[in-house]
Amino acid sequence: MNGRALFTLPVVAAAFGALALGAGGCGVDEAPPSHSPEPLEVRLPRGFPPLIVPDDNATTYEGVALGRQLYYDSRLSPDGSRACADCHLQDHAFSNPDVEGVLAHINLAWSRNFLWDGRFEGTLEEAMIMEVEEFFGTDVERLKEPDLEEMFFAAFGSTEITTERAAYALAQFQRTLVSRDSPFDSYTAGDESALSEAEFRGMELFYSERGECFHCHATALFTDNLFHNIGLDAEVTGTGYGAVSGQARNDGAFKTPTLRNIAMTAPYMHDDRFATLEEVVDFYSEGIVYSDTIDSLIPNVHGGGLQLTTQERSDLVAFLGALTDPEFLTNTDLARP
Ligand code: HEC
Ligand code: HEC
């Protein structure tokens, strides 16, 4: 930019304002179309860790709208065959009962370790770049259509389409995939009637030193975002996070999944080995298998596990059901645009 442009612009605008805009493309001093994306504040309940938003990707209505469009848009894949939302279904908390091992998209804004075995570590933006560039191999030429160009302009102030911008918009959309409105949340906010007696007893077991669940399914996010070998298999050499980190002590360890909406994300575990929550609870009760790297937080590792009573099992399953957030599963702001 030079002094001339600064000087002439106001003159042109004052003298021929409407005319100059209407004519369009008439000269070097044309005023840029307006671009002022509106900041979007994500509502967080008490107990949630602060949301980290990078300086170069503030959450805006326009950015989120673009990210949501791309999430549901098969033009993101080079042959137009699939969209993120084909495998990540909202009514299953963005997981999928029919595709193996699909991880839910819940509160990923707080995650720095991605994928069951931790193959990807980084920020949410970096994770989305990996999904777009490496997993999908997005061809930006396919995205250069008027509807998307308009949305890229609204979000980023220019119609230039890059895989990085697509990923940034997807990251903004991911930051709105916040689940926080379950009966458990109503209970912690002070509504004692929000949990049934069985759910309440299940919660007490979950948070007890006997149950130990809360150590790993920790905080209001119900995950510590770390990796543990919970005793699924006797032979764990070279599996899980160990294969990624190269450290034998991580063998058999997988990412702790959040338990929010867990009743909606069957089947369970990294290899989908359990069909129901009852089976998962039975596993923690007497299905634990010892291996060298089993986590020290897993109780009674030589005796099969917790040894729960029939009532304790059903209480625990009831409590897990109280982590379902119907608002998240049906919110039209998160649905196909
Ligand atoms: C063909 C099905 C499929 C499609 C399409 C798909 N995903 Fe996934 N996604 C999966 C599976 C399976 C996993 C778990 C893989 C693993 O951990 O090894 C996963 C995991 C993830 C994770 C990691 C979540 C976590 O908790 O660590 C993110 C992030 C993600 N997907 C984003 C996307 C985005 C963004 C798109 C679209 C660009 C997309 N996915 C499209 C199947 C799919
Ligand atoms: C040592 C840490 C740890 C403890 C303690 C623990 N979990 Fe887990 N949990 C995990 C990890 C890690 C996984 C995923 C394991 C895998 O797939 O290999 C998991 C998986 C699950 C799943 C399936 C999640 C899914 O999306 O597939 C449920 C349900 C679950 N745990 C509930 C519980 C309950 C209930 C307790 C207490 C009885 C408990 N966990 C104790 C770490 C832990």
Side-chain angles (χ1 to χ4, degrees), residues 70-221:
L70 293 172
Y71 191 84
Y72 285 94
D73 199 323
S74 59
R75 285 176 288 183
L76 201 65
S77 61
D79 60 358
S81 67
R82 61 183 183 179
C84 309
D86 291 340
C87 289
H88 297 281
L89 309 174
Q90 186 185 8
D91 54 349
H92 292 277
F94 302 97
S95 73
N96 193 310
D98 301 317
V99 179
E100 190 178 325
V102 178
L103 275 157
H105 290 168
I106 304 169
N107 304 340
L108 286 185
W110 287 273
S111 193
R112 287 296 170 270
N113 294 311
F114 296 92
L115 306 173
W116 282 107
D117 62 4
R119 278 194 317 288
F120 190 82
E121 192 187 330
T123 64
L124 186 60
E125 273 70 14
E126 288 163 346
M128 292 300 124
I129 290 173
M130 176 273 292
E131 292 285 343
V132 169
E133 294 182 354
E134 285 164 42
F135 182 43
F136 263 42
T138 300
D139 172 6
V140 286
E141 295 305 318
R142 270 194 92 89
L143 301 179
K144 290 181 180 164
E145 294 193 33
D147 62 325
L148 290 178
E149 277 170 344
E150 202 175 300
M151 296 185 86
F152 272 88
F153 177 77
F156 296 112
S158 95
T159 54
E160 190 196 350
I161 296 184
T162 63
T163 47
E164 188 185 276
R165 280 187 169 173
Y168 269 44
L170 282 165
Q172 290 192 40
F173 177 59
Q174 283 284 345
R175 281 201 180 85
T176 68
L177 301 186
V178 177
S179 180
R180 61 184 155 223
D181 288 324
S182 68
F184 166 79
D185 296 290
S186 305
Y187 177 84
T188 53
D191 176 4
E192 291 193 8
S193 67
L195 294 183
S196 71
E197 283 178 26
E199 289 164 353
F200 181 82
R201 286 193 304 268
M203 178 177 72
E204 289 197 311
L205 182 56
F206 187 93
Y207 286 102
S208 70
E209 293 298 332
R210 176 158 129 73
E212 298 278 23
C213 317
F214 73 103
H215 284 299
C216 304
H217 300 286
T219 76
L221 301 171

